[in-house]
Every structure is written in C-alpha cells, then in structure tokens.
Amino acid sequence: EKQAEIRLKMAKEIVDFFTDKFGPLKFEKLAIVHIKPLNGMMGVSLPTMTMFSDNYFTSDCSYDSVKKGEEKALDGPLVLVDEISHQWNIYSVAFPNQMAEGMAKYCDMLYAEHIGGEKPFRKYMLINANDYKGAIKNFQDVPIASEKVYFTQAYSSIAFNKNAVVQDMLRY
C-alpha cells in the first residue's frame, strides 16, 4: 500500500510534467493497475491505463535511482515515465508503434534531465547512441518510420535507441 502511494504521487508529478511539455492529457482519467503476468513484464500501456507487475512495486522507485544508472532507473521511476508517456505519444498523436517507443525512450531521458539535470540525460543519450551504433555494425539499419524496422534484428536498437537519438538531434 505504501509503495502504491509513493508511485501514485510520482505518477501525478509525471502527468504534470508531460502536460507542461505536450499539453493536457486527451483522456478524462489515467488508471495505474497492478498486474500479475506469467512472465516478468514490468509495464504496459493502453489508452487510459498503465499496468505494472510485481517487479515494479518492489523496485527502487526513488529519484536517486536515476543517478545510479539507466538500467536501475528503468526498473523504477523511468518505467512509470515510459508507460505514462504513451498516453501522449501513441494514444493522443497516433504515432506508429516504432515511432512511439523511441519517443517514450526520449521522454524517459527528458524526465531524467528534469529530476537530475543534464548529466544523467547526456549519460543515457550516450548509452542509447552506443547501443544503436553497436547493433548496426552487425545488423541492417533501416529508417525509423519504415515498416522494414519490424523485420530487422536491430529492431529494438532502431525503434528505441536510434529514435531517441534523432529526437535529441531535432531538439538541438
């Protein structure tokens, strides 16, 4: 119950952040649901709903985890950021999935910057750039918005990481 209260407070802060960045939420409400999947999924987003597994409710959800590294933060506050961001980037704008996942990844980094400053943002950006570059050394690179992205072994690196890097390039 205490963990749920902490996460609900954080969810409200995240919604306020995205409302400031992208405008009001299209939906009247946003539910946060605790699920018990057969396998370890942390978070999933649907219109008006984000679902999180047991792993999320036992992870370090403090903002300090953002300073400990992206992987640690993605088990905590940034998984909440990632799934809530889909309320804007898939369900309100209707990006295709491969675009929305990269935008969610970029939103994770924007929120990390919001709570931790430029250092975690740049650190996470470098991790994403290196992951993308490493993947395309071994697998075919394709444009982010191409349907071909689903058929390359570098899907995750292109849809998530390359996309976030391109978002940052557009920002600057």
Side-chain angles (χ1 to χ4, degrees):
E1 205 172 289
K2 182 176 175 148
Q3 293 300 323
E5 287 175 19
I6 291 167
R7 284 149 175 80
L8 182 59
K9 180 179 183 256
M10 190 173 282
K12 289 177 182 179
E13 292 169 3
I14 293 164
V15 168
D16 289 345
F17 174 77
F18 286 134
T19 299
D20 184 53
K21 289 278 184 211
F22 304 126
L25 185 61
K26 175 182 175 181
F27 308 108
E28 186 177 312
K29 65 177 184 165
L30 174 62
I32 296 175
V33 179
H34 181 187
I35 59 171
K36 295 190 178 272
L38 294 177
N39 295 320
M41 286 292 277
M42 286 282 274
V44 175
S45 185
L46 298 168
T48 74
M49 180 186 321
T50 56
M51 298 177 285
F52 300 94
S53 66
D54 291 336
N55 296 348
Y56 172 68
F57 285 94
T58 58
S59 67
D60 177 4
C61 202
S62 71
Y63 285 140
D64 285 341
S65 68
V66 172
K67 297 171 187 162
K68 294 176 185 172
E70 184 182 30
E71 187 174 317
K72 196 75 158 157
L74 284 171
D75 288 345
L78 295 187
V79 73
L80 188 57
V81 171
D82 193 275
E83 299 307 332
I84 290 174
S85 77
H86 286 305
Q87 301 304 313
W88 280 266
N89 71 37
I90 291 181
Y91 306 122
S92 293
V93 178
F95 280 159
N97 188 56
Q98 73 272 23
M99 297 297 291
E101 291 299 350
M103 187 62 183
K105 183 74 135 164
Y106 190 61
C107 286
D108 299 347
M109 289 183 260
L110 288 175
Y111 200 74
E113 179 181 52
H114 171 70
I115 60 175
E118 188 175 354
K119 187 175 180 180
F121 177 86
R122 288 287 147 219
K123 180 179 168 188
Y124 294 172
M125 189 56 63
L126 183 61
I127 290 167
N128 283 277
N130 288 337
D131 181 61
Y132 162 66
K133 288 187 246 179
I136 62 167
K137 283 181 182 177
N138 301 313
F139 304 111
Q140 179 186 13
D141 191 10
V142 297
I144 299 165
S146 169
E147 291 290 323
K148 292 178 183 179
V149 77
Y150 294 111
F151 305 105
T152 177
Q153 290 183 302
Y155 166 76
S156 292
S157 293
I158 294 170
F160 291 75
N161 306 106
K162 176 182 181 178
N163 193 329
V165 171
V166 169
Q167 295 294 330
D168 189 46
M169 290 167 54
L170 291 170
R171 178 182 182 196
Y172 287 98

